[in-house]
Amino acid sequence: MNYPTISKTEITDDERAEAVNDEYGAKYTKDWLKLIEGPENLTSYTIKEGTKVIGDTAFWCKNKIKSIILPDSVTSIGYFAFSDCTHLCSINIPNGVTSIGEEALDNCSALESITIPQSVKNIEHGIFNRCKRLNNVNIEGNNFYVKDKMLFSSTGVLISCWSYEKEITIPYGTTAIDTEAFIFCRTLETLNIPNSITTIGFRIFWGCTRLKNINVEGNNFYVKDKMLFSSTGVLISCWSKRKRISIPNEIIVIGDDVFNDCNSLETIILPPGITSIGNNAFSDCYNLEYINIPNSVTSIGEEAFENCKNLESINIPDNIAYIGHGAFSGCYNILGLKIPNTLSIINNYVFLNNTTLNFIEIGNNIKSIGDGAFEACESLKSINIPNSVTSIGGEAFRDCTSLQSINIPDSVTSIGDSAFLGCESLESIFIPKGTKEKFTRLLSNYSEYLKEI
């Protein structure tokens, strides 16, 4: 997995381990500069003076809270910081806050009024989604503006919509629609998009269960068969409920989250020119049984097919160069896989919980097998690691309960903790002659299984 750089609103493991509590049970970092988690079971709370950062998810789902007072010292508010506080009706944003994370106030359904001070320079997507009672958003300064229950940046980016109208017209002059801008607009039936828009983010219509029509002006985007496409060949969104969907031949990219949670989808036909499948593109498509992945595909994103429980086979293209973290995790019914020679890294948790997988052929160019890559592949009985591999991650084969033997080449110089923990059927770890001392160090807990060949 490509782990992001720790942001100042993200809570690190060390910060959680060293957290201190105030008299109400709220958790702060030991220097009292960052609020990690708000108190439980209070209806009102005043955050301590001197706090600079409201951490990610600090008050997430704290449904009893009605009033939160932020001190003037706060400069940053993390993502989901107050999300799903469904009884929150009073909160102040101090003049000094410069950034507000994504969906920070999402589903604060009791909130009626809020002021955004002129100090705020950056607001991430979805801040007011599902705030159904929010009627008064007072914007100080010129960095943002509100129109028809939609929040825009001064550069014309539509950041969030909390309108419950059946038909919404995006005003001309809007330049972009941010990710998840219309998420859970459950009453939306018709959306009118002006030709001033040049960029549309992903996952914008997730949860828009009544959406029927999207009218697009200009040539930047078009709609076909309840799918939204860019003129550059990107499939941006789908709101079709059909069981079988064919993607037009001109499309080259399946965007992030396009078919996420499309439980009606059983068969998807991709055109021969597709080059990229985005993050979560087909995740949680529980009834997906068939997909053809053409050899033109070079990239499959993170968790792209996670929890596609009915998918019985998958062809990994011969030209694949990247498969993201958890791409095929939870695909319970896949029996066998062949990883081509074009791939150099098996990322973390790619095949996690593929419980019926009983055959895997690893390509000769693989250099690294990530953490938990084959964890809980309970039907896998044997595996051969090619001599291109130099590292095997922690828990890589953990709980592969049927695994009896594995061949590890001399090229391997690093094996992570608990790589074979729970492999209760393991009988043999085959290693090259003359390497027993080396692998005894690398596999000190499994030395009894080492067999030189």
Side-chain angles (χ1 to χ4, degrees), residues 342-363:
T342 51
L343 194 68
S344 61
I345 296 174
I346 300 176
N347 265 314
N348 298 347
Y349 308 107
V350 170
F351 303 107
L352 171 70
N353 282 330
N354 284 15
T355 53
T356 60
L357 182 69
N358 58 36
F359 170 79
I360 183 79
E361 182 179 330
I362 299 176

Side-chain angles (χ1 to χ4, degrees), residues 242-422:
R242 289 179 298 158
K243 293 181 179 181
R244 188 181 191 276
I245 293 177
S246 294
I247 307 301
N249 286 336
E250 67 269 21
I251 301 307
I252 58 174
V253 174
I254 306 297
D256 293 350
D257 296 289
V258 170
F259 295 97
N260 173 256
D261 203 28
C262 287
N263 288 324
S264 60
L265 185 63
E266 295 179 0
T267 299
I268 185 86
I269 306 299
L270 302 182
I274 289 284
T275 60
S276 177
I277 297 173
N279 299 333
N280 298 101
F282 298 95
S283 62
D284 297 322
C285 290
Y286 299 129
N287 293 308
L288 181 65
E289 297 176 353
Y290 175 82
I291 183 171
N292 67 309
I293 303 180
N295 280 332
S296 54
V297 171
T298 59
S299 176
I300 297 174
E302 294 185 2
E303 301 175 359
F305 295 92
E306 182 184 36
N307 294 329
C308 290
K309 298 178 181 180
N310 280 335
L311 197 61
E312 294 185 357
S313 65
I314 196 84
N315 61 301
I316 298 178
D318 291 338
N319 294 314
I320 197 73
Y322 172 79
I323 299 177
H325 160 96
F328 299 101
S329 63
C331 294
Y332 299 151
N333 285 315
I334 293 178
L335 298 177
L337 285 167
K338 181 180 179 180
I339 299 174
N341 293 335
T342 51
L343 194 68
S344 61
I345 296 174
I346 300 176
N347 265 314
N348 298 347
Y349 308 107
V350 170
F351 303 107
L352 171 70
N353 282 330
N354 284 15
T355 53
T356 60
L357 182 69
N358 58 36
F359 170 79
I360 183 79
E361 182 179 330
I362 299 176
N364 291 326
N365 193 42
I366 294 294
K367 295 177 174 59
S368 173
I369 298 174
D371 295 344
F374 298 95
E375 183 177 347
C377 291
E378 297 174 355
S379 300
L380 196 62
K381 293 183 178 180
S382 65
I383 193 161
N384 183 57
I385 308 295
N387 58 17
S388 56
V389 173
T390 60
S391 68
I392 298 173
E395 303 182 342
F397 298 95
R398 177 173 180 166
D399 293 328
C400 291
T401 52
S402 298
L403 186 65
Q404 297 174 3
S405 66
I406 184 167
N407 293 339
I408 304 180
D410 189 26
S411 58
V412 172
T413 58
S414 172
I415 300 177
D417 293 340
S418 305
F420 301 102
L421 182 67

